[in-house]
Amino acid sequence: SSHLISSLVPLAKMMRRGIRRVLPRRDRWHALQEYAVGEANTEEFRLLRARDAAVSAVVASHPAGSASKTIDWAAWESRISNKETLQCLKDFHAQQTALLDAVLKEDHLGAVKEQKVGWELFEEAKVSCD
């Protein structure tokens, strides 16, 4: 019985690799679910995927290019009693917004086209993932 189970483990790995080659690639983080071991971990991953789907639906419901909602900091000031925490949140939001605005202004396609060296490392990494 244990010999049968131990012989099925390599077979399962081979089948998983074969299926990955046949099916479209799952580059999203959802592919990590196959590494969830045990009922509790599988359930946590299922709940995480459900929350991800809910967030994705909200994001998809807003048209691309539409103005994002601004944060009403005055409303939060009345709800958060720890003003130091509130200030940290405001500072973090301002920092992240500035960072994202700077990244969006960069010419990423131009940077990739100008890249002349290092592609062999990228190609080796792709091969090692197969």
Side-chain angles (χ1 to χ4, degrees), residues 61-118:
S61 71
H62 295 289
S66 65
S68 58
K69 258 175 84 173
T70 58
I71 296 175
D72 182 2
W73 290 110
W76 286 106
E77 282 181 29
S78 67
R79 297 166 88 186
I80 298 177
S81 60
N82 187 329
K83 300 307 176 200
E84 188 176 327
T85 300
L86 176 65
Q87 190 58 50
C88 287
L89 288 170
K90 287 172 73 172
D91 293 345
F92 180 76
H93 179 266
Q95 176 194 31
Q96 294 299 302
T97 301
L99 178 69
L100 290 171
D101 288 344
V103 167
L104 290 173
K105 289 178 185 174
E106 294 177 8
D107 180 13
H108 300 283
L109 184 59
V112 170
K113 287 181 178 179
E114 291 175 10
Q115 182 69 35
K116 303 297 181 211
V117 296

Side-chain angles (χ1 to χ4, degrees), residues 14-69:
M14 286 186 344
M15 289 182 64
R16 206 175 313 143
R17 278 192 213 122
I19 289 170
R20 283 188 198 136
R21 289 190 178 114
V22 173
L23 296 175
R25 293 193 100 153
R26 297 181 309 170
D27 295 328
R28 299 179 59 177
W29 64 269
H30 294 178
L32 295 173
Q33 184 170 1
E34 69 184 70
Y35 298 104
V37 178
E39 192 174 314
N41 288 336
T42 304
E43 177 62 14
E44 283 297 319
F45 208 92
R46 187 190 67 73
L47 293 171
L48 183 62
R49 286 187 66 166
R51 289 188 295 266
D52 175 63
V55 169
S56 295
V58 169
V59 170
S61 71
H62 295 289
S66 65
S68 58
K69 258 175 84 173

